[in-house]
Amino acid sequence: MATLGASKKHKVTVVGSGNWGTTMAKLVAENVKAYPTIFDETVRMWVFEEEVIIPKESRHYDAGSEASSKPQKLSQLINTVHENVKYLPGITLPTNVVAEPDLPSSVKDSTILVFVLPHQFIARVCDQIKGKIVPYARAICCTKGVDVSENGIRLMSETIGMRLSIYCGALSGANIASEIAQEKYSETTVAYDPPPMDSRAPTPSGSPTSSQVDLISPSKPIPSARSARLKALPSEYPPLSHENVRKLFHRPYFHVRIVDDVAGVSLGGALKNIIAIAAGFVDGLGWGDNAKAAVMRVGILEMVKFGKAFFEDSVKTSTFTEESCGVADVITSCMGGRNFRCAKKATQTGQSIFEIEQQDLNGQKLQGTSTAYEVNEFLKSQGLENDFPLFTAVYLILEGKAKPEQIPELIEPK
Amino acid sequence: MATLGASKKHKVTVVGSGNWGTTMAKLVAENVKAYPTIFDETVRMWVFEEEVIIPKESRHYDAGSEASSKPQKLSQLINTVHENVKYLPGITLPTNVVAEPDLPSSVKDSTILVFVLPHQFIARVCDQIKGKIVPYARAICCTKGVDVSENGIRLMSETIGMRLSIYCGALSGANIASEIAQEKYSETTVAYDPPPMDSRAPTPSGSPTSSQVDLISPSKPIPSARSARLKALPSEYPPLSHENVRKLFHRPYFHVRIVDDVAGVSLGGALKNIIAIAAGFVDGLGWGDNAKAAVMRVGILEMVKFGKAFFEDSVKTSTFTEESCGVADVITSCMGGRNFRCAKKATQTGQSIFEIEQQDLNGQKLQGTSTAYEVNEFLKSQGLENDFPLFTAVYLILEGKAKPEQIPELIEPK
């Protein structure tokens, strides 16, 4: 018996192997070793297979050797040298991280799926593993962002949960993968609050059809009735309580707080980028740290209002004002993130942020601008632009219809 | 009639004329002009009289003139050139700011007293005007800080309220006087929540004796019974509602939010300095913005806990997590305040913060270090050091009993 009353252990798969995915695999692997009665000792990591040449940053680069100049399969390299030489070079992974390039094999029998994929791959990957996972698996989504359009708001965790018919929580915080990989101290927030589940035998036919995979919109909050279709964890497993989920992620250098509020945690990671742009616009005016702090404070309260307006049943004020995924992530994003930096430079140089983006970001796009447009489109569709004056101010400035100098006036409470 | 049902107007005195006092006088004077039915058009400012020579930074400096090299009375200069040439040079004051060097004359007949004095002068000034103010005057204390010792905690507003037998609120926020004087945008928080008051005729003998001017301690919360001794505002005056108090301070460049929580607002302005030291220690290690944001977040929640532990009846979580006096002031103090800067340099150079203080501050003292010691003395007396691990960690580092590297371990939730 693994633990009292539990004869099985949880197998964990990290779905994704970029720098954040590899970092999550590293810390989860450290934790499964620390709690061998709860978790299986191997952590599988799904690797999108590619041929790589060991770069100079790797611990295994050897200028003279033939092996270092020959392309090799990334998954094999990871399993041989215990380093993701392409996406997290220089960091040694625990030997119990096992790279697996075959997606269905990587998730087989796992009761815990940690999703760390780029936004645009999530739906596709889910469709490829649908029906190939245990029906009572639980997922945690570590990808930041939400899908917002005029039709509504959809959380990444919702996409995963609905497509796989499993419960999906979320992890988000003031986190930079490379710092955590180096074991520099930071914090994160995990949202995990599975509803009561059906404890009868799993029936694959009970999964939702595509027509049931709806967007969340203000008129249609997260349907709690969906929970009836989720399958309970068999009693042979240790419970996936807050305490045990925390054990999977918490490290001495990575402090975890668990909350219930999946929507709040997910929204924080998206909306903070709009705030960072606002803070950058104001900071570029040279108005000092107090003006910047004021914009950040107003922004945090606007996140709260947004969450409560559109997810009223579940979102808590404290998720934004007290947790790493809220206030701390806003602070970090407004100290040095690229949304902040580009917006500041736009004000300072008199250029548009789109020009700065093009000059400075090597073809990459700012998340804050697209989120600001998406959120505005949604607010407009709801007739609520005036209720979110800071979000609306950022949109107006991006559109060239207002100037950063007008922010105090635009957000002044009447 | 000034306003419907109000035949009298509120006279306002700003008690203090340093850079923050003069800035407050400026903005209050702008507001009394904007609301002439509520407030008398003259704002008196008590000036501690001194002889000054017009400095180069003044708009009225004239290298060639004899007047510029001759010492003149500060109050007369202010009333002639409408500039506080010594403490706020370069800023033109509205002509309805009238400097008054005689303390009792400056407060005579004023119904609103805005205290902006250095901490150490408050009690003395109160004793000098006791019995010389209208008994139904109301005060707002704009001086940051609290008195903490092993005996208990006393708010500045408590000192003023008890010594003068009047109600005293508080103003605190992410504010730097010189920036507000230049009308750069910022926000502040005003705490104002007068209890029900005695509407009978004032009886000067009803004021508390010195033995009643007690420290607040955990076993002895703010005595609400004291309110019975406060005199209600006569009905000839416009009411001093939240709305009218906001009108006195709010400007397009200085956004005001009014709350009820005097203790929370006051504690924020003191405890944030301990957090700034913690953030500086961690930032000096080069752990990045996420580590710093984590320490700030933990610090904000420790302020909440402190407030609730020792002022349970009145302190609200939101004062710290949502208002300028809380989260925004913490952010500003941890971005560039001198507590932060000295602590960071101490970690970077391996010197103690006291050595840095001596080298860099020209004989001035950091508020954060003394507050950390005072708070620790108090927590120790209550046996509660372990309940405030970040505050205690700062104390231990100051004492050389811990290192900044240990902060994550010291604040890790068990």
Side-chain angles (χ1 to χ4, degrees), chain B residues 347-376:
Chain B
T347 304
Q348 286 173 328
T349 61
Q351 291 173 287
S352 82
I353 195 169
F354 304 104
E355 291 171 291
I356 305 291
E357 189 179 40
Q358 214 161 23
Q359 290 161 25
D360 291 9
L361 292 187
N362 248 326
Q364 289 193 288
K365 294 285 175 193
L366 291 175
Q367 284 188 289
T369 51
S370 53
T371 305
Y373 274 93
E374 287 159 13
V375 164
N376 183 263

Side-chain angles (χ1 to χ4, degrees), chain B residues 3-257:
Chain B
T3 59
L4 200 64
S7 58
K8 291 188 167 182
K9 298 180 191 182
H10 290 287
K11 276 189 206 297
V12 186
T13 298
V14 175
V15 184
S17 54
N19 71 335
W20 188 212
T22 310
T23 300
M24 289 304 300
K26 173 181 178 289
L27 70 86
V28 164
E30 290 164 0
N31 280 327
V32 301
K33 277 199 284 197
Y35 300 102
T37 59
I38 304 173
F39 305 109
D40 187 274
E41 69 178 338
T42 298
V43 171
R44 284 173 293 173
M45 175 169 77
W46 175 59
V47 171
F48 180 81
E49 193 67 288
E50 53 188 308
E51 301 267 326
V52 301
I53 291 174
I54 296 178
K56 286 190 181 151
E57 298 77 30
S58 166
R59 294 178 180 237
H60 300 276
Y61 175 76
D62 175 359
S65 94
E66 203 193 331
S68 279
S69 61
K70 201 179 66 180
Q72 299 175 69
K73 286 205 160 82
L74 179 58
S75 65
Q76 286 174 11
L77 260 177
I78 291 172
N79 290 336
T80 315
V81 303
H82 305 294
E83 179 186 339
N84 186 334
V85 299
K86 176 148 188 189
Y87 296 107
L88 198 64
I91 301 292
T92 301
L93 302 177
T95 54
N96 59 330
V97 172
V98 174
E100 168 60 66
D102 184 65
L103 181 54
S105 305
S106 75
V107 295
K108 188 168 181 285
D109 299 332
S110 276
T111 46
I112 302 176
L113 306 172
V114 181
F115 279 83
V116 203
L117 291 167
H119 185 169
Q120 64 274 23
F121 297 140
I122 288 179
R124 215 179 312 162
V125 165
C126 286
D127 291 346
Q128 286 179 52
I129 61 175
K130 194 177 152 105
K132 292 166 184 166
I133 58 171
V134 293
Y136 45 80
R138 308 269 170 97
I140 298 285
C141 176
C142 305
T143 303
K144 285 191 190 182
V146 296
D147 285 323
V148 187
S149 72
E150 63 178 329
N151 301 318
I153 306 158
R154 185 194 279 163
L155 313 177
M156 303 289 141
S157 54
E158 282 289 316
T159 302
I160 295 168
M162 289 192 284
R163 286 182 185 256
L164 297 178
S165 306
I166 60 176
Y167 175 78
C168 185
L171 180 151
S172 181
N175 302 136
I176 293 172
S178 59
E179 291 179 358
I180 296 161
Q182 292 171 63
E183 307 189 2
K184 287 180 180 171
Y185 166 62
S186 70
E187 290 187 312
T188 205
T189 313
V190 172
Y192 182 77
D193 184 35
M197 293 188 188
D198 188 345
S199 58
R200 290 167 304 172
T203 52
S205 62
S207 60
T209 64
S210 64
S211 71
Q212 290 170 308
V213 182
D214 289 334
L215 284 173
I216 307 304
S217 78
S219 56
K220 201 187 294 175
I222 301 176
S224 57
R226 190 193 310 138
S227 64
R229 213 176 281 124
L230 298 174
K231 295 300 161 203
L233 194 69
S235 59
E236 303 89 65
Y237 287 94
L240 283 177
S241 56
H242 273 195
E243 191 190 342
N244 284 344
V245 169
R246 185 171 178 274
K247 285 176 177 159
L248 191 62
F249 296 107
H250 183 87
R251 296 295 301 154
Y253 58 85
F254 189 62
H255 292 189
V256 170
R257 296 199 1 145

Side-chain angles (χ1 to χ4, degrees), chain A residues 286-309:
Chain A
W287 284 355
D289 290 340
N290 293 306
K292 182 173 157 182
V295 165
M296 291 162 68
R297 192 201 66 79
V298 170
I300 292 168
L301 294 198
E302 222 159 272
M303 296 204 299
V304 171
K305 193 173 180 184
F306 190 92
K308 292 207 174 270

